[in-house]
Amino acid sequence: MASKHDVNDNCKGVQESTTSIKLKRTITVWNGVGIIVGNIIGSGIFVSPKGVLNYTGSPAVALIVWALCGVFSMIGALCYAELGTTILESGGDYAYILKIFGSLLAFLRLWIAILIIYPTNQAIIALTFSNYITFPFFETCLPPKLAIRLLAAVCILILTWVNCKSVKWATRVQDIFTCAKLLALLVIIIAGFVQIFKGEAEHLTLAKSFESHRPVTVGNIALAAYQGFFAYAGWNYLNFVTEEMIEPYKNLPRAIKMSMPLVTVVYLLANIAYFASMSPTELLNSNAVAVTLGNKLLGVMAWIIPISVAMSTFGGVNGSLLVSSRCFFVGARHGHMPESLAFINLQNFTPVPALLFTAALTLLMLVTDNIDELINYVGFANWVWYMVAVAGQIYWRYKYPDMKRPIKINIIYPIIFIMVCIFILALSFYSAFMQCLIGTVITLSGIPVFILCVKWERRHPDWLNNIKTGITRFVQKLCFAMPQGDHAD
């Protein structure tokens, strides 16, 4: 599994030589905004933004929780901005954990990402796309399951081809569909605020907005915040493509500072629109909140909502393919995955093998019937690695106080973020102990794989090395690709 290149030599990044094949810096600050916003805003805000309300019981408290979750997510993103400009390498928290804590922890982060997190997330988003794009044709019944899965597979294959062809194409698709989902949310927000201006938003009056169908306790607020944090997932995605950003020292933090407040405001306004258009009871009983609002307020134009959800999820699949492939690409570059996954196409300068590998894993997930169960096992795992990466940030502050840090945030921010991570993890184990335990076992199952495939790679028998060499050559010819740094212009 490991590359023959020394790990330390690979840490120098792709910009080491002006004459070597490398990933090109084509991602602008606006592309960065599109990646962050496009990955955070998925189908959830359209379909089921009721998790927070379910535990708070009242619109006013729900809105406060949404705002606080946005603030805490912004803190996490700022912590990653410092990490991303201090360790200028793609791969996100995998790269940071590798640099700070070493190979084993980094491999375990990669292991769970390969096995479950990225493939299942992408499969679920693609299936959601299929369900909503076919909604206008199956309004009175459920679409055929096989058709939904085939359409999801077509979605994945098309976007994989786009990402293989050009990073600019991929970011352009991301920008277009991010704008589309923001416009769709703008329609929802305007419809809701029309109700407010007409004086028909009784549940947003001061008296009604604090009325709760359940006691407002610390435990319920904690569970509501738990739901809210997951709605902001994706705030760290830009760190996975740092090496492809133009002027990352400037544009990485700029994109974060523009994106996170935008998402928080949009989430708040969308929820206000929902509360203005329906009662809390109606909202909690709806299986697709935005569709309910559309049917109630948009009349013959209600079809816009399911199409908007489809467009939102289409962009979500694109963004996830873009960043997850970079994680596998960097992992292969450091010897934690087959070295052919670190190859770059000679014509388009894209990590084609890593993209095809990501797509293949996602397609494999489409044939399983328990995708939701799989993601539940490791849904909490991302927060473990967020906490480890930010803990490394604090550790390096004290170990290397004079290290050059283009961005240096107040130390209180990473401390607050770690406390939030501990809270989320504790609540995860409290609310779904067995699922979290199984997820932990799945993660730890990577330890023997690390020992056999990475630690003992030099002890592999000749016949196994010959097989690996043959696979590497086949992938190289198939993808017309070479390792970075090995090709002269």
Side-chain angles (χ1 to χ4, degrees):
M1 181 176 288
S3 168
K4 296 178 182 178
H5 299 292
D6 186 79
V7 169
N8 291 330
D9 289 339
N10 280 325
C11 290
K12 296 175 184 177
V14 298
Q15 291 294 344
E16 188 174 59
S17 170
T18 57
T19 60
S20 63
I21 184 170
K22 56 192 174 184
L23 299 175
K24 304 298 183 183
R25 293 196 182 276
T26 58
I27 297 176
T28 66
V29 65
W30 293 109
N31 296 148
V33 172
I35 289 171
I36 296 173
V37 175
N39 279 288
I40 294 178
I41 301 177
S43 61
I45 192 65
F46 295 98
V47 181
S48 57
K50 56 189 181 182
V52 175
L53 177 64
N54 186 45
Y55 289 105
T56 58
S58 70
V61 180
L63 291 172
I64 292 169
V65 170
W66 276 106
L68 289 175
C69 289
V71 171
F72 284 128
S73 298
M74 177 71 178
I75 290 172
L78 289 174
C79 292
Y80 267 56
E82 179 180 317
L83 283 166
T85 52
T86 304
I87 304 171
L88 200 63
E89 185 172 14
S90 293
D93 34 59
Y94 163 77
Y96 311 147
I97 293 168
L98 175 64
K99 192 77 172 177
I100 298 169
F101 295 114
S103 288
L104 177 57
L105 280 179
F107 180 84
L108 292 178
R109 169 69 180 103
L110 192 63
W111 172 252
I112 199 67
I114 297 167
L115 211 59
I116 296 179
I117 293 177
Y118 291 134
T120 51
N121 271 332
Q122 286 156 191
I124 289 169
I125 299 170
L127 288 169
T128 305
F129 161 79
S130 300
N131 275 300
Y132 276 88
I133 200 69
T134 57
F135 180 83
F137 307 101
F138 297 93
E139 290 190 34
T140 58
C141 63
L142 293 174
K145 285 187 176 181
L146 180 60
I148 291 297
R149 291 176 186 268
L150 288 174
L151 191 56
V154 170
C155 166
I156 291 162
L157 291 172
I158 289 173
L159 289 172
T160 301
W161 176 79
V162 169
N163 277 269
C164 287
K165 191 67 179 174
S166 169
V167 176
K168 283 188 176 180
W169 286 15
T171 53
R172 195 167 294 141
V173 167
Q174 192 68 17
D175 294 344
I176 290 170
F177 282 90
T178 297
C179 289
K181 70 179 69 178
L182 288 174
L183 287 173
L185 285 167
L186 182 62
V187 170
I188 290 171
I189 291 166
I190 291 172
F193 273 76
V194 167
Q195 296 295 101
I196 294 174
F197 294 139
K198 288 165 65 178
E200 297 179 9
E202 60 175 310
H203 296 285
L204 287 177
T205 60
L206 190 61
K208 287 270 191 179
S209 63
F210 282 95
E211 284 185 4
S212 177
H213 67 274
R214 64 189 308 165
V216 181
T217 64
V218 174
N220 285 337
I221 295 296
L223 289 168
Y226 180 70
Q227 297 288 325
F229 284 128
F230 279 96
Y232 285 92
W235 49 262
N236 63 323
Y237 270 23
L238 190 57
N239 293 69
F240 284 82
V241 292
T242 309
E243 293 171 8
E244 296 167 78
M245 289 197 73
I246 298 169
E247 296 187 286
Y249 291 125
K250 294 180 180 178
N251 290 336
L252 177 63
R254 282 177 182 172
I256 288 170
K257 289 174 182 178
M258 286 190 282
S259 301
M260 295 309 300
L262 173 62
V263 171
T264 303
V265 169
V266 168
Y267 273 3
L268 285 172
L269 293 178
N271 275 280
I272 290 171
Y274 291 142
F275 292 133
S277 308
M278 61 190 86
S279 69
T281 303
E282 284 180 294
L283 196 149
L284 289 171
N285 290 332
S286 173
N287 291 322
V289 177
V291 174
T292 302
L293 180 146
N295 291 336
K296 193 172 183 180
L297 301 181
L298 300 182
V300 293
M301 299 301 292
W303 59 269
I304 290 175
I305 302 300
I307 298 302
S308 298
V309 177
M311 294 177 70
S312 179
T313 49
F314 190 81
V317 175
N318 179 72
S320 187
L321 284 170
L322 178 68
V323 300
S324 61
S325 61
R326 270 51 177 188
C327 187
F328 299 153
F329 172 83
V330 176
R333 192 169 68 195
H334 288 293
H336 289 165
M337 294 188 71
E339 64 174 321
S340 57
L341 297 185
F343 287 2
I344 298 171
N345 180 267
L346 295 175
Q347 291 179 326
N348 301 318
F349 300 100
T350 54
V352 171
L355 282 160
L356 295 179
F357 179 75
T358 307
L361 290 176
T362 306
L363 292 172
L364 191 62
M365 287 296 174
L366 289 178
V367 303
T368 65
D369 292 323
N370 57 349
I371 297 177
D372 292 315
E373 188 176 343
L374 283 172
I375 200 65
N376 286 338
Y377 287 148
V378 294
F380 76 102
N382 275 328
W383 291 94
V384 173
W385 302 113
Y386 299 158
M387 183 176 69
V388 172
V390 175
Q393 177 185 8
I394 296 173
Y395 170 63
W396 266 25
R397 281 284 191 95
Y398 289 99
K399 186 176 181 180
Y400 306 112
D402 299 324
M403 175 182 282
K404 180 184 177 184
R405 293 177 173 86
I407 298 171
K408 188 175 182 179
I409 62 174
N410 192 305
I411 194 67
I412 194 66
Y413 292 130
I415 291 172
I416 291 172
F417 185 75
I418 287 176
M419 291 172 64
V420 171
C421 289
I422 293 171
F423 154 75
I424 291 172
L425 293 172
L427 205 56
S428 296
F429 274 91
Y430 171 76
S431 59
F433 177 79
M434 189 53 63
Q435 288 179 337
C436 291
L437 183 62
I438 293 171
T440 303
V441 172
I442 293 171
T443 303
L444 295 178
S445 69
I447 293 176
V449 179
F450 173 80
I451 294 171
L452 290 172
C453 298
V454 179
K455 197 76 173 176
W456 291 352
E457 195 241 348
R458 295 181 184 276
R459 303 182 189 181
H460 288 177
D462 290 341
W463 63 267
L464 183 56
N465 287 327
N466 290 335
I467 291 174
K468 291 191 293 183
T469 300
I471 293 172
T472 299
R473 288 175 177 170
F474 171 76
V475 171
Q476 187 172 6
K477 292 176 182 178
L478 177 69
C479 300
F480 192 58
M482 290 187 69
Q484 63 175 44
D486 289 356
H487 173 72
D489 288 336

